[in-house]
Amino acid sequence: MKDACKLTATDAGAAIRNGELTPRVLANACLERIGRREAETGAWEVLDGSRIDEQLAKLEQVPGPERGLLHGIPVGIKDVYDTADLPTAYGSAIYEGHRPAWDAAAVARLRAAGAVILGKTVTTEFAYWKAGKTRNPHDHSRTPGGSSSGSAAAVADFMVPLATGTQTVASTMRPAAFCGIVGFKPTLGRISTAGIKTLAGSLDTVGMFARCVPDVALIGGVMAGRADWVAARAAAMPPVVAFARTPEWDQVSAAGIAVVEDAARMLEAAGATLSTGSAPAAFATLADDQNQVLAFEAARDFSSEWRHHRALVSPQLSELIEEGLLLSPADYETAQAHRLECMAALDGLFGGADILLAPSALGEAPPLAEGTGDPLMSRAWTLLGLPSISLPAGTGPAGLPLGLQLAARPGRDASLLAAAQWIEERLA
Amino acid sequence: MKDACKLTATDAGAAIRNGELTPRVLANACLERIGRREAETGAWEVLDGSRIDEQLAKLEQVPGPERGLLHGIPVGIKDVYDTADLPTAYGSAIYEGHRPAWDAAAVARLRAAGAVILGKTVTTEFAYWKAGKTRNPHDHSRTPGGSSSGSAAAVADFMVPLATGTQTVASTMRPAAFCGIVGFKPTLGRISTAGIKTLAGSLDTVGMFARCVPDVALIGGVMAGRADWVAARAAAMPPVVAFARTPEWDQVSAAGIAVVEDAARMLEAAGATLSTGSAPAAFATLADDQNQVLAFEAARDFSSEWRHHRALVSPQLSELIEEGLLLSPADYETAQAHRLECMAALDGLFGGADILLAPSALGEAPPLAEGTGDPLMSRAWTLLGLPSISLPAGTGPAGLPLGLQLAARPGRDASLLAAAQWIEERLA
């Protein structure tokens, strides 16, 4: 099979089940692609051929009826997820060569479903701002976005059909948009973060990347133990979609706004009900609240690194920690209380809509020198714990991908996946 | 100074500040006490004299004005907290000899405040049911309670003035009550759990033990970075206290009920306003909800251990994981949604009261063969994230300690500490 590395996970899984493809051929196709592209893209932190061979040999012993939902599908794991068989450095010099004693819970679930853990993908330092070596596969002078840089670039560059990420601010939505692929961040708390290095405990969320919506439904469903996510198919009924120009929209590029407006018009023409409105005033400060929660929690969650290895903490993370250490507990608790109030008032945000639309990022991927891009467009929704998906939607003035961000109410992950697939089919 | 090991942390700190005591003399007094009692009590998993010496030598270099709030105070650390300089096995054969790459964030904050980490205390397996070697210092045929068994026993046995615990179900309240000491579980989320092994991510809470309320305020305030907790002193005004006989009370022993009723009468006589009533009907299922959340989350958070080391998981934890794997995501989400509804309806539970009263446990510490005791009396309050304190309050028919459990609204930790100190002074 030619170009097996370009298959979606769903198609590759079907080809494996019907005997047209084997896990070994697929893994080799991915490794060959990596061999050709990695020098420029720089998506991988660790690749260990002998570990891949071990996994393939084990999978070959699994009889057909016992094969899991991801049997033989290669997956890249962001290097903030612990892996018992591969080093895990969290993008930090502090933990160079560190070998965890366990797999992150989400990794163990991927293995149990038959996934082939191909290797560890580059993360920014502790999933915050300091970029790693990864470049945007669409333009090597641009950032892939952060913090799940390597995972997004690897999927976009056809090195692997699936990869895991995290989102504490915008670390799944933004790289998905910049790399022109699908990103999915489920409802806060739906997938275990055990064995994932903490950045800000009450915000950290498991995310994932693929090249189509059914694929994020598949890997997300496996990690969450949700058959209804795996089974999510394009909604039979057009969704009710809405967008409200929040204060953040003022900072979005014209192309970024146009993506949402074009998509809205197109979806309306395809039968979707569209409403526009304004977000309730109480929601206007959520992006600031998110930053306060982030800084306060990072300052405490990195207490060990701050005490024992301060010289090895980047200027970017040091600035966040110092900001957090200056916040009063009362500031933090006010932000958390406001978060809860808004979570209890989502009717005002959604109105009658199922799905909110917004730009995934301010515009196209910026040049590498400017960092990993602004996370503004996901701050509020991450704080609220909303499930969200970024779909590739057109290109900007430089010809680089833009993203359309969708969000649903907490717990409505399966219907978000169904609506996203309906939208994906019409955007295509 | 004779019997320095019997000093409270507050008194020992004052003695160190005014030159009557040195950290080394205090640490040696604790070690000597441990030497005399450990064979019977079995509170410690790891004690490393050379690490203690290193810490003392460093503290001796700290000039007076730079000394922290816990300068020279020995602390025992429950063995589910990671420590970079001591092995951490989480009470499980799986991780025998495991050496973490970091300190838990709470441990780093204790070190930064000048605490002397004396060693690691015995935990039940992963802070769940399977007991370790620890015995109740008041009666070596009885359980100290779990899961923070060694921490509670060490403090009760005058081996150390302070120790850390966790609470996912009742793992701070119950051992505090059984061992006749003070236990404090702050509001959910107020202290970082980074570097503490996850049992059930949305329930795990940092807890702590001491022999008086000002001491738990001190260590809690250090770990939380809360000056107002450290400064909490007996409330000037008597608290408004309430108790409502929930369905759980039917299972409490007569002596356990009498503790609350006697305390309520005594507090009323001392000027407290007392109300009795009934908890709202919606709250009746919270203990069951708590168990569903626990089982579902444990089943996913232990995915790695379940996949790679199932033969080394105890029957007790295996049963919980199997229960969790059988729960549907809908059951879990229903329980979590009900939790949120009740958290938004605390007015109905508290009425006009500041402080709720309840038994800390069903009765006295059961015999070792019966396990670590029933956690029922803390399930609902842990689920709601309420800050709670267990105070020693009388003895039961076997002459063993009983506990009075106090709870306040989320975020009211400082006023809970102040009320608890007011109550402690009157119970004494």
Side-chain angles (χ1 to χ4, degrees):
Chain A
M1 180 171 288
K2 271 225 167 175
D3 277 346
C5 67
K6 296 196 172 174
L7 292 174
T8 64
T10 304
D11 288 346
I16 289 171
R17 275 189 297 280
N18 69 26
E20 292 167 38
L21 183 66
T22 67
R24 194 172 292 273
V25 169
L26 177 57
N28 285 338
C30 290
L31 289 169
E32 194 200 321
R33 177 80 185 177
I34 292 168
R36 275 185 286 135
R37 305 279 302 177
E38 176 62 6
E40 288 192 302
T41 301
W44 298 88
E45 196 60 56
V46 181
L47 276 170
D48 182 336
S50 67
R51 298 294 185 187
I52 298 168
D53 281 340
E54 279 171 29
Q55 296 175 74
L56 291 167
K58 269 194 196 170
L59 287 174
E60 284 161 1
Q61 305 306 314
V62 179
E66 289 174 24
R67 291 180 187 162
L69 283 165
L70 293 174
H71 181 82
I73 305 298
V75 179
I77 303 294
K78 184 179 182 180
D79 202 27
V80 294
Y81 287 63
D82 285 336
T83 43
D85 61 347
L86 294 171
T88 306
Y90 317 108
S92 165
I94 297 170
Y95 296 111
E96 210 182 311
H98 168 58
R99 179 69 63 100
W102 47 61
D103 282 336
V107 170
R109 291 212 159 175
L110 292 174
R111 291 193 204 274
V116 176
I117 305 302
L118 215 63
K120 305 297 286 285
T121 62
V122 173
T123 177
T124 62
E125 177 205 31
F126 296 124
Y128 192 56
W129 293 163
K130 191 196 162 199
K133 67 183 176 184
T134 312
R135 297 151 179 244
N136 193 310
H138 297 278
D139 177 345
H140 285 126
S141 74
R142 305 267 181 154
T143 179
S147 65
S148 311
S149 315
S151 282
V155 170
D157 214 4
F158 302 102
M159 294 168 163
V160 73
L162 301 174
T164 68
T166 58
Q167 181 155 313
T168 304
V169 189
S171 288
T172 297
M173 293 299 105
R174 189 178 35 161
F178 289 172
C179 291
I181 58 173
V182 177
F184 174 35
K185 182 203 84 72
T187 301
L188 180 65
R190 285 302 188 272
I191 299 178
S192 174
T193 55
I196 297 175
K197 181 76 174 147
T198 308
L199 166 56
S202 83
L203 295 167
D204 297 338
T205 317
V206 165
M208 60 223 73
F209 302 95
R211 293 188 296 267
C212 64
V213 174
D215 275 13
V216 292
L218 175 63
I219 183 175
V222 164
M223 290 195 286
R226 298 288 305 234
D228 57 332
W229 298 8
V230 173
R233 290 296 169 265
M237 297 287 289
V240 180
V241 299
F243 65 92
R245 286 177 170 275
T246 58
E248 290 94 323
W249 285 49
D250 296 346
Q251 298 187 46
V252 180
S253 67
I257 301 272
V259 157
V260 180
E261 292 178 341
D262 291 353
R265 267 192 298 274
M266 193 273 299
L267 297 176
E268 198 171 18
T273 305
L274 174 68
S275 68
T276 58
S278 55
F283 287 69
T285 62
L286 285 175
D288 289 338
D289 293 328
Q290 195 277 341
N291 196 50
Q292 296 220 342
V293 171
L294 170 68
F296 189 88
E297 293 186 357
R300 65 185 198 186
D301 291 339
F302 289 108
S303 293
S304 181
E305 290 78 12
W306 196 241
R307 175 164 175 77
H308 299 304
H309 308 285
R310 198 171 305 183
L312 294 176
V313 177
S314 71
Q316 295 94 322
L317 184 57
S318 295
E319 192 182 336
L320 181 73
I321 289 172
E322 281 163 356
E323 182 188 339
L325 290 172
L326 290 175
L327 284 173
S328 74
D331 291 339
Y332 169 70
E333 291 177 19
T334 302
Q336 287 281 34
H338 186 236
R339 174 190 199 179
L340 283 177
E341 283 162 26
C342 289
M343 288 175 80
L346 289 175
D347 282 344
L349 185 65
F350 277 85
D354 310 313
I355 304 292
L356 300 181
L357 304 180
S360 298
L362 301 186
E364 296 169 293
L368 286 168
E370 291 177 19
T372 56
D374 193 303
L376 183 64
M377 297 311 295
S378 296
R379 282 193 187 275
W381 291 357
T382 301
L383 187 69
L384 296 174
L386 308 186
S388 59
I389 287 178
S390 181
L391 294 179
T395 53
L400 292 169
L402 293 169
L404 174 66
Q405 192 176 196
L406 319 175
R409 289 162 182 261
R412 304 270 178 92
D413 301 77
S415 40
L416 172 65
L417 288 162
Q421 196 175 335
W422 190 93
I423 293 170
E424 176 179 55
E425 287 171 3
R426 276 140 194 96
L427 287 179
Chain B
M1 181 170 288
K2 271 225 165 174
D3 277 346
C5 66
K6 295 195 173 173
L7 293 173
T8 64
T10 304
D11 288 345
I16 290 171
R17 275 190 298 280
N18 69 26
E20 293 167 38
L21 183 67
T22 67
R24 194 172 293 272
V25 168
L26 178 57
N28 285 338
C30 290
L31 290 170
E32 194 199 320
R33 176 82 185 175
I34 292 168
R36 274 185 286 136
R37 305 279 302 177
E38 176 63 5
E40 286 192 304
T41 301
W44 297 88
E45 195 62 56
V46 181
L47 275 171
D48 181 337
S50 67
R51 297 295 185 186
I52 297 168
D53 281 341
E54 278 171 30
Q55 296 176 76
L56 290 167
K58 271 194 193 168
L59 287 174
E60 282 159 4
Q61 305 305 313
V62 179
E66 289 175 25
R67 291 182 186 159
L69 283 165
L70 293 174
H71 180 83
I73 305 297
V75 179
I77 303 293
K78 184 178 182 180
D79 203 28
V80 293
Y81 286 64
D82 285 337
T83 44
D85 61 347
L86 294 171
T88 306
Y90 317 109
S92 164
I94 297 170
Y95 296 110
E96 208 181 311
H98 169 56
R99 181 68 62 100
W102 46 61
D103 282 335
V107 171
R109 291 213 157 173
L110 292 174
R111 290 193 204 273
V116 176
I117 305 303
L118 214 64
K120 305 298 285 287
T121 61
V122 172
T123 176
T124 61
E125 177 204 32
F126 297 122
Y128 192 57
W129 291 165
K130 191 196 161 197
K133 66 182 176 183
T134 312
R135 296 151 180 245
N136 193 309
H138 297 278
D139 177 345
H140 285 125
S141 74
R142 306 266 181 156
T143 179
S147 65
S148 310
S149 315
S151 282
V155 169
D157 215 5
F158 301 103
M159 294 169 163
V160 73
L162 301 173
T164 68
T166 58
Q167 179 155 317
T168 303
V169 188
S171 289
T172 297
M173 292 300 106
R174 190 179 33 162
F178 289 172
C179 291
I181 58 172
V182 177
F184 175 35
K185 183 203 81 74
T187 301
L188 181 66
R190 286 302 187 273
I191 300 178
S192 173
T193 54
I196 297 175
K197 182 74 174 148
T198 308
L199 166 55
S202 84
L203 295 168
D204 296 338
T205 316
V206 166
M208 60 223 73
F209 302 95
R211 292 187 296 266
C212 64
V213 173
D215 276 13
V216 292
L218 175 62
I219 184 174
V222 164
M223 290 195 286
R226 296 290 306 237
D228 58 332
W229 298 8
V230 173
R233 291 293 169 266
M237 296 287 289
V240 181
V241 299
F243 65 92
R245 286 177 170 274
T246 58
E248 291 94 323
W249 287 48
D250 296 346
Q251 298 187 44
V252 179
S253 67
I257 301 271
V259 157
V260 181
E261 291 178 341
D262 291 352
R265 268 192 298 272
M266 194 271 300
L267 297 175
E268 198 172 19
T273 305
L274 174 69
S275 67
T276 58
S278 56
F283 286 69
T285 62
L286 284 174
D288 288 339
D289 293 330
Q290 195 277 342
N291 195 50
Q292 296 219 339
V293 171
L294 169 69
F296 189 88
E297 293 187 355
R300 66 186 198 187
D301 291 339
F302 289 107
S303 292
S304 181
E305 291 78 11
W306 196 241
R307 176 165 174 76
H308 299 303
H309 307 284
R310 197 170 306 182
L312 295 176
V313 176
S314 71
Q316 293 95 324
L317 184 57
S318 294
E319 192 182 337
L320 181 73
I321 291 172
E322 282 163 356
E323 182 188 338
L325 291 172
L326 289 175
L327 284 173
S328 74
D331 291 338
Y332 170 69
E333 291 177 19
T334 300
Q336 286 282 33
H338 186 238
R339 174 190 197 178
L340 283 176
E341 283 162 26
C342 289
M343 288 176 78
L346 288 176
D347 283 344
L349 185 64
F350 278 86
D354 310 314
I355 303 294
L356 301 180
L357 304 181
S360 297
L362 301 187
E364 297 170 294
L368 286 167
E370 291 176 18
T372 58
D374 193 303
L376 183 64
M377 296 311 295
S378 295
R379 282 194 187 274
W381 290 357
T382 300
L383 187 70
L384 296 173
L386 309 185
S388 60
I389 286 178
S390 181
L391 294 179
T395 52
L400 292 169
L402 294 168
L404 174 67
Q405 193 176 196
L406 319 174
R409 287 161 183 265
R412 304 269 178 93
D413 301 76
S415 39
L416 172 65
L417 288 162
Q421 197 176 334
W422 189 93
I423 293 170
E424 177 179 54
E425 288 172 2
R426 276 142 194 94
L427 286 180

